[in-house]
Amino acid sequence: MHFKIEQSAYLFDPLQVERLIKYFSREEYSQEMGDLLWNDLAANYDPEKGLLNYEGPVLLIAGRQDPMDASTVYQIREFMPQAEIEIIERCGHYPWIEQPRTFYKAIDEFLSELD
């Protein structure tokens, strides 16, 4: 129940929380790996250090109503001026859950431009 309440805050539409729970319950999702990634990010995340030398194509996607604040993608683009930004409306922290059509369309269009 705690997870359900906590994650509702990350969604534009809290009624989507059941879809989110289903996503995190999938067999291929590893909570242990998620925890390792989160702990590493919290301890070592330095965007300048990791992004300064990358010159390849980049797509940054953020939900307009993400409580993590979509301004983060603009900060990242300071280090990666080649980055394309897609802000998805009516969307929180999980765009592939709340707006899957828009999310995957943005990825498809970005990848098709690389060919």
Side-chain angles (χ1 to χ4, degrees):
M1 183 62 156
H2 175 47
F3 177 84
K4 189 174 185 176
I5 293 168
E6 176 185 276
Q7 293 305 309
S8 293
Y10 287 91
L11 298 166
F12 171 75
D13 178 3
L15 299 176
Q16 297 278 354
V17 75
E18 295 302 327
R19 290 182 67 205
L20 186 63
I21 289 170
K22 186 177 179 182
Y23 172 80
F24 283 118
S25 299
R26 295 181 349 204
E27 192 172 303
E28 63 269 15
Y29 176 78
S30 168
Q31 182 64 50
E32 182 180 3
M33 181 59 72
D35 291 344
L36 287 169
L37 287 169
W38 180 255
N39 290 336
D40 187 58
L41 270 173
N44 302 309
Y45 182 65
D46 180 357
E48 287 186 63
K49 183 178 171 186
L51 304 177
L52 278 176
N53 297 321
Y54 182 75
E55 297 177 1
V58 176
L59 174 63
L60 303 170
I61 301 175
R64 173 78 64 201
Q65 290 78 23
D66 187 339
M68 303 293 279
D69 192 359
S71 68
T72 302
V73 296
Y74 295 100
Q75 292 171 347
I76 293 171
R77 191 165 65 181
E78 290 178 19
F79 305 105
M80 306 179 91
Q82 77 278 22
E84 294 181 33
I85 295 175
E86 179 75 27
I87 304 295
I88 300 177
E89 299 294 335
R90 301 179 57 82
C91 186
H93 192 67
Y94 302 103
W96 64 95
I97 299 293
E98 290 193 279
Q99 299 292 343
R101 286 188 194 114
T102 305
F103 177 77
Y104 290 111
K105 181 181 178 200
I107 292 172
D108 287 344
E109 289 174 357
F110 176 77
L111 293 175
S112 71
E113 293 173 6
L114 299 179
D115 291 337

